[in-house]
Amino acid sequence: MAINSEILLFPLLTPLVAAVISLFFWQSARYQRIVFLLGILIYLFASIRLMTWVWTHGYITYQGGNWPAPFGITFVADLLSAGMIALTAVLAVMSALYFEGGIKNSKVSNIFHPTLNFLIFGLTGAFLTGDIFNLYVWFEIMLVSSFVLFTLGGSRSQLEGSIKYVAINVVSSSLFLAGIGVVYGLTGSLNMAALAAKLPLVENQGLVTLASVFFIVSFGIKAAIFPLFFWLPASYHAPPLAVSSLIVGLLTKVGIYTMLRFFTLIFTTDTGYTHTILLILSGFTMVVGVLGAAAQIDFRKILSFHIVSQIGYMVMGLAVYTPMAIAGTIFFIMHNILVKTNLFLISGLVKETHGTYALKKLGGVYHTFPFLALLFAISAFSLTGVPPLSGFWGKFMLALGGLEAGQMAIVGISLFVSILTLFSMTKIWGEVFWKKLPESTSMIINRQEDLLRSRFLMVIPVLLLTAMILLLGLYSGPFVDYSMRAAEQLMDTEGYINAVFMR
Amino acid sequence: MDILLAVIVGLLYGTAIYMILQKGLVKVIIGILILGHASNLFIFVIARLTRGAPALVPEGLEFVPEPYADPLPQALILTAIVIGFGIQAFAIVLLERVYKLTGTSEVDQLTTTDTIEATD
């Protein structure tokens, strides 16, 4: 065992331990909350430590049971996975704060804390693992936890949304398994580094491409790319807001993360075929997502459809497949996780005041809650990509990467979709913030001071996230550097293989 | 043997997808069950079959003589079966809850989250 492996295992084991301990306090929401808070703070600390270590020293690998590389269970941390873990920690803190701030019943709360910890455990494992079958297992841990979180509360729309979510994810998992089977049949290995070394040598490259398509479809379902995204707008707006904001921020991005990992490390022999498929899909994803949003008349559903559109940008960077474009994708993931979650949390605050998400019944938020309107405007402009906010830098890097690679069409589409994004943000702005409050709507909270006082813990995460978005936009230098280095690391397949095999 | 199993895998996939596309939720869950079996059998077949040669080291030898049945796919399938079992249990309970709450198990009736109408 290497000396530094505990840096890597710390963030992985913290949520598991916290989850188990909070199960012991099943009856006491108060102790659960304390355990959760402690656990998440340790997790945040551990993830930042991992990130700084990887930033200064490069890869960390850990071989389970000291078995040498392709035989043991491998964990690898590189800049991308460490960054994703840090983002997971940030988001978990935010949604937990938001959850504590809201009105809740103890029945829901007792399940919320341990399950959220299990979800974080699954996510961390998925980001760190260096073995495709383990990735499947981590996915399942994550999915089962998200199933529970989805159905928490058990309202009709939640259960209906969950049915679609569960069914499509079972299909996705079984396609993933089939892909694992093909890859194992070809190489006799499941270790990602070993696969990266062995797959280019396989005689029958047609079968390798076949396997890669299994993974495109499976991860495509999880990431919600066109034409596999229909489950997302049908289920993401149903669960309680603290849950859906977390799921929105993270679960689709795990799909993107695994795509980045697989299509920069493992399936790189036939990029002309696989990455062209991804390029076409990303274009459709962007356009269809944003058009779907334009048709909606519900605050949260508009935002749900926008997730699909934003996923298109992330896939675009991967499909263009140059270091600049992939750096753009990584920066865009950081930006999007923060902005999207923030917009969801703000929609939740509006629901707290007006008791509804329906655009028809909303209005006058700018008049009554100017502070909330300001927070929304920052996030909305950032999502659209108005300089100098964070979305601009992400889109700029993606467009630059696309232009350098000569992919004019996709760059054109991405810029056009930005304008449409602005259109639906102005629609929300006009309907929710500027329009006069319809007379039929009775507000639950109608003074800004009341909102800040009674929903203090729900406003805090929105403020913190807005601060981070501003930081990411106005002081983007270090984050762009991070993305660039992470992208270079991703493109450097040899470096990954050598790190895992300790050569 | 390989060909027979390959045909069975194909049939299982076909049946599973047919069942998942049905309207009744019970049929969808049966489809999910069969889909799991299809994937497991697929892994079993694609990792090549070796009959009557378990991967056990015979007495007096230091290694397993070739050819032997690869134990790794079996371990994978075992894991996948256990995970699949958990998911299926969850799906069945979900179905029961949905039926109790809505009084229907037809997918066509469960479309409130797909409509354009706003939620509250």
Side-chain angles (χ1 to χ4, degrees):
Chain A
M1 191 196 278
I3 312 143
N4 48 39
S5 59
E6 59 77 47
I7 297 174
L8 188 146
L9 290 181
F10 213 145
L12 185 65
L13 295 178
T14 315
L16 176 66
V17 172
V20 172
I21 294 175
S22 65
L23 281 178
F24 283 116
F25 296 111
W26 187 249
Q27 295 298 330
S28 157
R30 201 165 138 252
Y31 286 118
Q32 272 193 343
R33 216 171 293 153
I34 294 169
V35 170
F36 180 81
L37 211 66
L38 275 177
I40 204 69
L41 287 176
I42 297 173
Y43 180 73
L44 186 66
F45 164 76
S47 64
I48 290 170
R49 189 160 143 242
L50 176 70
M51 200 165 75
T52 47
W53 207 94
V54 175
W55 176 255
T56 42
H57 295 81
Y59 297 98
I60 303 182
T61 58
Y62 168 74
Q63 314 290 346
N66 249 346
W67 290 86
F71 304 112
I73 291 172
T74 310
F75 287 104
V76 189
D78 65 352
L79 283 170
L80 177 63
S81 47
M84 295 298 286
I85 290 171
L87 280 170
T88 308
V90 169
L91 268 205
V93 173
M94 299 304 162
S95 76
L97 276 179
Y98 195 88
F99 182 81
E100 301 304 339
I103 298 162
K104 54 196 175 292
N105 59 41
S106 62
K107 211 172 133 195
V108 169
S109 149
N110 285 354
I111 307 168
F112 179 78
H113 291 110
T115 317
L116 188 57
N117 266 321
F118 278 122
L119 180 72
I120 299 167
F121 177 55
L123 283 165
T124 318
F127 291 138
L128 286 179
T129 185
D131 179 296
I132 55 172
F133 191 77
N134 277 321
L135 182 64
Y136 164 78
V137 177
W138 292 115
F139 261 165
E140 296 302 308
I141 294 175
M142 192 181 86
L143 283 176
V144 172
S145 321
S146 70
F147 293 164
V148 175
L149 288 175
F150 252 91
T151 47
L152 214 58
S155 73
R156 175 169 181 154
S157 62
Q158 272 179 284
L159 292 179
E160 285 186 16
S162 308
I163 285 182
K164 292 152 200 167
Y165 182 70
V166 171
I168 194 80
N169 272 304
V170 170
V171 174
S172 156
S173 295
S174 79
L175 285 172
F176 188 15
L177 263 184
I180 291 174
V182 176
V183 169
Y184 183 77
L186 286 173
T187 62
S189 186
L190 291 167
N191 189 295
M192 288 187 194
L195 285 177
K198 281 182 188 170
L199 273 178
L201 309 175
V202 170
E203 245 172 69
N204 193 344
Q205 281 296 324
L207 270 178
V208 177
T209 311
L210 173 85
S212 73
V213 173
F214 272 116
F215 291 114
I216 290 184
V217 177
S218 168
F219 298 149
I221 290 174
K222 288 194 204 300
I225 64 176
F226 176 86
L228 309 161
F229 67 84
F230 293 97
W231 59 271
L232 189 144
S235 58
Y236 262 29
H237 60 86
L241 207 109
V243 172
S244 72
S245 64
L246 185 79
I247 287 171
V248 159
L250 291 171
L251 288 202
T252 45
K253 276 60 175 189
V254 181
I256 293 293
Y257 165 83
T258 44
M259 271 196 181
L260 274 174
R261 181 67 71 214
F262 272 60
F263 290 95
T264 58
L265 178 67
I266 301 174
F267 297 111
T268 51
T269 42
D270 196 5
T271 48
Y273 183 75
T274 50
H275 289 63
T276 309
I277 291 183
L278 287 175
L279 195 67
I280 294 167
L281 291 181
S282 75
F284 275 108
T285 312
M286 283 187 245
V287 174
V288 174
V290 84
L291 290 180
Q296 299 298 317
I297 51 163
D298 176 301
F299 198 165
R300 208 155 40 139
K301 277 189 192 171
I302 294 179
L303 296 176
S304 296
F305 260 103
H306 267 294
I307 303 168
V308 177
S309 168
Q310 310 290 319
I311 290 291
Y313 283 93
M314 300 171 201
V315 180
M316 168 191 158
L318 171 63
V320 170
Y321 201 55
T322 60
M324 176 54 94
I326 289 178
T329 296
I330 295 167
F331 189 87
F332 203 85
I333 293 174
M334 290 193 241
H335 141 78
N336 195 250
I337 287 180
L338 299 175
V339 170
K340 201 83 233 181
T341 309
N342 204 21
L343 285 172
F344 260 80
L345 294 182
I346 292 170
S347 81
L349 283 176
V350 171
K351 153 104 187 193
E352 289 290 318
T353 58
H354 289 63
T356 178
Y357 290 110
L359 290 187
K360 247 188 301 186
K361 295 182 200 160
L362 288 169
V365 177
Y366 180 69
H367 181 70
T368 341
F369 310 102
F371 187 55
L372 200 59
L374 175 71
L375 295 175
F376 176 82
I378 292 172
S379 293
F381 278 131
S382 184
L383 186 76
T384 330
V386 174
L389 293 164
S390 58
F392 170 72
W393 302 111
K395 285 181 184 173
F396 179 73
M397 285 162 81
L398 283 172
L400 191 65
L403 289 177
E404 279 172 2
Q407 304 281 6
M408 301 300 163
I410 197 76
V411 174
I413 292 172
S414 75
L415 296 179
F416 175 64
V417 168
S418 291
I419 298 173
L420 291 179
T421 312
L422 184 63
F423 162 72
S424 38
M425 285 301 128
T426 47
K427 180 174 160 185
I428 296 180
W429 181 258
E431 292 281 329
V432 179
F433 292 86
W434 257 2
K435 188 180 74 184
K436 267 208 183 108
L437 181 73
E439 288 183 3
S440 56
T441 312
S442 56
M443 283 164 69
I444 301 168
I445 302 172
N446 45 24
R447 281 174 52 226
Q448 184 159 289
E449 296 82 59
D450 290 348
L451 177 73
L452 294 182
R453 196 169 338 107
S454 66
R455 300 286 186 275
F456 179 66
L457 276 178
M458 297 173 96
V459 179
I460 290 287
V462 178
L463 281 176
L464 289 175
L465 280 171
T466 309
M468 280 184 232
I469 293 163
L470 285 174
L471 181 75
L472 196 62
L474 302 176
Y475 189 62
S476 56
F479 301 100
V480 172
D481 282 348
Y482 191 92
S483 315
M484 297 294 279
R485 264 185 66 182
E488 276 161 25
Q489 216 176 32
L490 274 180
M491 300 291 273
D492 179 20
T493 315
E494 282 300 312
Y496 186 94
I497 297 171
N498 289 342
V500 171
F501 287 108
M502 311 237 176
R503 283 199 286 244
Chain B
M1 191 66 187
D2 284 25
I3 291 172
L4 179 66
L5 278 174
V7 171
I8 292 174
V9 170
L11 279 176
L12 282 175
Y13 269 119
T15 320
I17 288 163
Y18 178 79
M19 292 302 263
I20 287 176
L21 296 178
Q22 295 295 302
K23 282 178 189 167
L25 271 179
V26 179
K27 288 180 185 159
V28 173
I29 286 178
I30 293 174
I32 288 174
L33 279 163
I34 299 174
L35 193 64
H37 294 319
S39 297
N40 293 339
L41 200 59
F42 179 71
I43 294 182
F44 190 58
V45 179
I46 204 165
R48 289 181 196 87
L49 299 175
T50 314
R51 291 187 76 186
L56 295 173
V57 184
E59 231 180 311
L61 272 180
E62 290 285 302
F63 56 90
V64 189
E66 300 259 0
Y68 59 90
D70 189 351
L72 191 71
Q74 298 167 24
L76 301 187
I77 293 165
L78 205 59
T79 317
I81 288 173
V82 174
I83 292 172
F85 185 70
I87 303 249
Q88 286 148 15
F90 182 86
I92 291 167
V93 175
L94 184 64
L95 166 73
E96 191 247 349
R97 294 286 306 159
V98 169
Y99 185 72
K100 271 194 178 159
L101 198 72
T102 63
T104 178
S105 64
E106 292 283 306
V107 177
D108 281 1
Q109 310 288 321
L110 302 172
T111 53
T112 49
T113 59
D114 290 314
T115 52
I116 199 107
E117 289 304 312
T119 48
D120 281 321

